[in-house]
Amino acid sequence: MFRSAKDINERSTWQELTPGAEIYEPATSKLVMTGEWRTMTPVFDPERCKQCMLCVPYCPDASIPVKDGKRTDTDLDHCKGCGICAKVCPFEAIRMELGGK
Amino acid sequence: MGTNTRLSGNEAVAYAMKQINPDVMGAFPITPSTEIPQYFASYIANGEVDTEFVPVESEHSAMSTCIGASAAGARAITATSSAGLAFMWELLYVAASSRLPIVMAVVNRALTGPININNDHSDSMGCRDTGWIQIYAENNQEVYDNYLQAMPIAEHCRLPVMICQDGFITSHALANIQLLEDEEVRGFVGEYNPEHYLLNPQEPLAVGPYGVSPYYMEIKKAQAEAMKDARERIRQVGKDFGELSGRFYDMIEEYRMEDAEFAVVVIGSSAGTGKAAVNMLRERGVKAGLVKLRVFRPFPREELAAALSGCRAVAVMDKAEGFSGCGGPVFAETRSALYDAETRPLMVNYVYGLGGRDVTTDTFETVFDALQKIAEDGHVGETYRHIGVREE
């Protein structure tokens, strides 16, 4: 039996789950919106950012996307709001705000 | 076909393992199951099997080894007893909920304390709700036969299986036994080709994920359904094994039950003693019978109800204390199985044989005498009784 992870959700019946809840594909964590857990939100200021890229490897949730050699705005679907990026940024280009979208 | 020889129960299990030639064994020694990995290690050392033997530092690690190996796609086995089984406890649940078809030989021994190395069923009865199939043997032949049926059951149902035998009685005592030929065993047990396994480079796989509350109950329901479905597979494999060997197996065995008015329900080697007592009583004109529970998980509810509902009085024998304050686990479940029957016998519980306390035909005669009195009186009196215990 193969069932794609994107077809398994909180409305799935017990018959629709896989034996032992096995997952038969990689990188399914993208399907889980861990951003919902967040209480603090990083606010990114592109004016102050020097694209030093220090925040990118520090992010424990791989939630800072890089495109054409430049970081873009934080992936808020998956960012848990830990604040590490703001802490390591040498240019105060990231500040943490309570709540947020 | 078949070879007649004499083997201890432990050697019979090790020999069955050799004939199957599984992929991985993780094991740690504990009396009275120590001989199983010991014999099997000598088969490995002699090049008779090519199993990877993992000499772990504890039973917790033995079961962890089996879980990892089974998830990787290997046939994984182990053997243990008593405190060793208790030390595996949390992993027993992991193996079952991950639906890994691990096969474990359990040589039943009393749980500490007080510390005791002799037989009762407190170890496997203690883990009766972990999600493992449990199959019990009356004698060495059944130990061997049950072990050969374990993998065809486990791998079809995707549930782990315990093959239980009574410590020292059907582990160390020698008995005549008929072995199948290696080719017959290989043909019966077959190759293991799991659909999903971690070592498959074509399919990345996650095993044992976090089951948050929106999923946990559905996962448990699926596991419960698999256990219900296991009944049919166990019966089918028992029938197939009978066609191969001439020895047929089912969920329960009914002994002289056709017209029985008084019956005992018993698990394991004591069934043999009970049958001898039934024969003696039958010669005296007592309509005695015996029901042997071969499979305890899944519980043979319908079979027991059908076998016992015509009796006048039934004694359920528990070789383990449940400390429920009102009887042992076999009694609780057997009495529950009869609840929906149109006619119900009077039913009493005997806890017996704890920590290797002797069980003889006299024990069963006392039980059958009590059953006749219960039937005459029309009421059971105290249902929760201990037999073979000194008391004032």
Side-chain angles (χ1 to χ4, degrees):
Chain A
M1 182 176 104
F2 179 86
R3 188 169 288 273
S4 175
K6 70 175 165 49
D7 298 328
I8 299 172
N9 55 53
E10 296 186 5
R11 291 175 300 283
S12 302
T13 64
W14 68 264
Q15 291 95 337
E16 290 167 339
L17 298 184
T18 60
E22 289 172 339
I23 306 290
Y24 305 126
E25 61 201 288
T28 54
S29 56
K30 285 177 191 163
L31 295 169
V32 184
M33 297 297 140
T34 49
E36 292 171 5
W37 306 0
R38 198 173 58 243
T39 55
M40 299 289 284
T41 297
V43 179
F44 175 54
D45 182 354
E47 300 295 312
R48 285 174 171 264
C49 177
K50 306 279 186 266
Q51 296 295 344
C52 74
M53 293 290 158
L54 194 56
C55 57
V56 175
Y58 265 102
C59 175
D61 286 304
S63 292
I64 300 175
V66 177
K67 201 179 173 193
D68 300 329
K70 290 184 174 178
R71 69 149 289 176
T72 58
D73 209 352
T74 311
D75 168 11
L76 294 178
D77 283 341
H78 299 97
C79 166
K80 297 191 191 107
C82 69
I84 292 174
C85 56
K87 188 86 178 170
V88 301
C89 177
F91 307 107
E92 297 180 331
I94 304 165
R95 68 187 160 79
M96 298 305 290
E97 213 171 66
L98 188 63
K101 59 171 183 176
Chain B
M1 64 164 234
T3 309
N4 290 307
T5 184
R6 291 153 305 281
L7 291 179
S8 75
N10 279 347
E11 197 170 7
V13 167
Y15 197 82
M17 289 170 173
K18 181 176 88 155
Q19 292 183 302
I20 294 165
N21 192 7
D23 300 305
V24 175
M25 177 185 231
F28 189 86
I30 181 167
T31 300
S33 64
T34 302
E35 285 181 337
I36 294 174
Q38 188 179 333
Y39 282 121
F40 194 71
S42 68
Y43 296 139
I44 296 171
N46 295 338
E48 293 173 87
V49 290
D50 45 27
T51 305
E52 183 73 28
F53 186 88
V54 187
V56 290
E57 77 283 10
S58 76
E59 289 85 356
H60 192 280
S61 302
M63 186 46 63
S64 299
T65 298
C66 288
I67 289 169
S70 184
R75 248 186 191 143
I77 60 166
T78 186
T80 196
S81 296
S82 184
L85 185 59
F87 196 21
M88 291 180 179
W89 225 260
E90 63 169 317
L91 289 320
L92 297 178
Y93 285 87
V94 175
S97 71
S98 302
R99 308 289 301 279
L100 299 172
I102 297 161
V103 172
M104 169 157 57
V106 174
V107 184
N108 287 114
R109 162 187 156 183
L111 278 176
T112 310
I115 191 165
N116 177 294
I117 61 164
N118 295 100
N119 170 244
D120 69 30
H121 298 153
S122 52
D123 48 3
S124 59
M125 278 297 152
C127 61
R128 65 188 177 274
D129 297 339
T130 54
W132 283 61
I133 291 170
Q134 290 190 342
I135 304 177
Y136 291 81
E138 178 183 328
N139 51 45
N140 293 6
Q141 183 72 61
E142 288 189 9
V143 174
Y144 173 77
D145 292 351
N146 286 347
Y147 198 88
L148 295 180
Q149 293 170 62
M151 284 163 198
I153 293 167
E155 289 159 11
H156 176 90
C157 302
R158 287 205 55 176
L159 288 172
V161 174
M162 290 180 198
I163 298 299
C164 303
Q165 60 197 99
D166 283 339
F168 296 106
I169 304 163
T170 50
S171 71
H172 284 63
L174 295 184
N176 290 335
I177 192 166
Q178 191 174 56
L179 302 172
L180 296 184
E181 299 299 338
D182 291 353
E183 291 73 33
E184 290 176 312
V185 170
R186 278 189 219 116
F188 184 76
V189 178
E191 285 288 314
Y192 178 46
N193 295 305
E195 194 182 349
H196 306 286
Y197 55 102
L198 286 171
L199 289 181
N200 179 3
Q202 307 305 321
E203 182 188 70
L205 171 68
V207 174
Y210 185 49
V212 289
S213 30
Y215 295 99
Y216 186 89
M217 197 157 167
E218 281 70 25
I219 295 163
K220 288 322 234 189
K221 168 70 175 170
Q223 199 184 333
E225 288 294 322
M227 187 58 94
K228 277 162 70 179
D229 293 345
R231 292 190 177 102
E232 192 185 333
R233 179 63 179 176
I234 293 166
R235 283 190 211 105
Q236 184 61 48
V237 172
K239 192 165 165 282
D240 293 346
F241 187 83
E243 276 153 18
L244 175 68
S245 67
R247 297 182 294 275
F248 288 83
Y249 289 89
D250 210 325
M251 299 288 285
I252 64 171
E253 181 191 326
E254 297 181 47
Y255 187 76
R256 304 191 82 162
M257 285 298 294
E258 304 80 38
D259 61 342
E261 294 180 1
F262 312 102
V264 293
V265 177
V266 65
I267 289 181
S269 62
S270 306
T273 314
K275 286 174 184 174
V278 165
N279 291 341
M280 289 159 63
L281 287 155
R282 283 275 176 175
E283 277 177 27
R284 279 185 241 147
V286 180
K287 288 188 172 176
L290 179 144
V291 173
K292 181 174 80 186
L293 268 178
R294 173 180 178 247
V295 181
F296 185 72
R297 284 288 181 268
F299 193 73
R301 180 180 66 178
E302 284 156 23
E303 290 87 343
L304 279 174
L308 299 172
S309 64
C311 293
R312 293 173 66 193
V314 171
V316 181
M317 311 291 287
D318 267 290
K319 214 173 193 177
E321 247 307 341
F323 298 112
S324 72
C326 45
V330 187
F331 176 60
E333 300 205 19
T334 304
R335 195 159 62 161
S336 169
L338 268 292
Y339 191 82
D340 294 327
E342 279 185 28
T343 57
R344 293 193 293 266
L346 295 163
M347 199 175 282
V348 66
N349 182 211
Y350 283 96
V351 175
Y352 76 105
L354 302 184
R357 180 58 50 93
D358 237 4
V359 186
T360 66
T361 51
D362 286 346
T363 312
F364 283 96
E365 279 192 71
T366 306
V367 169
F368 278 110
D369 286 348
L371 288 180
Q372 290 170 78
K373 184 165 189 314
I374 286 168
E376 270 170 38
D377 295 349
H379 61 88
V380 177
E382 175 58 60
T383 53
Y384 177 32
R385 307 177 185 188
H386 292 76
I387 191 164
V389 67
R390 295 181 299 276
E391 56 189 336
E392 291 179 355

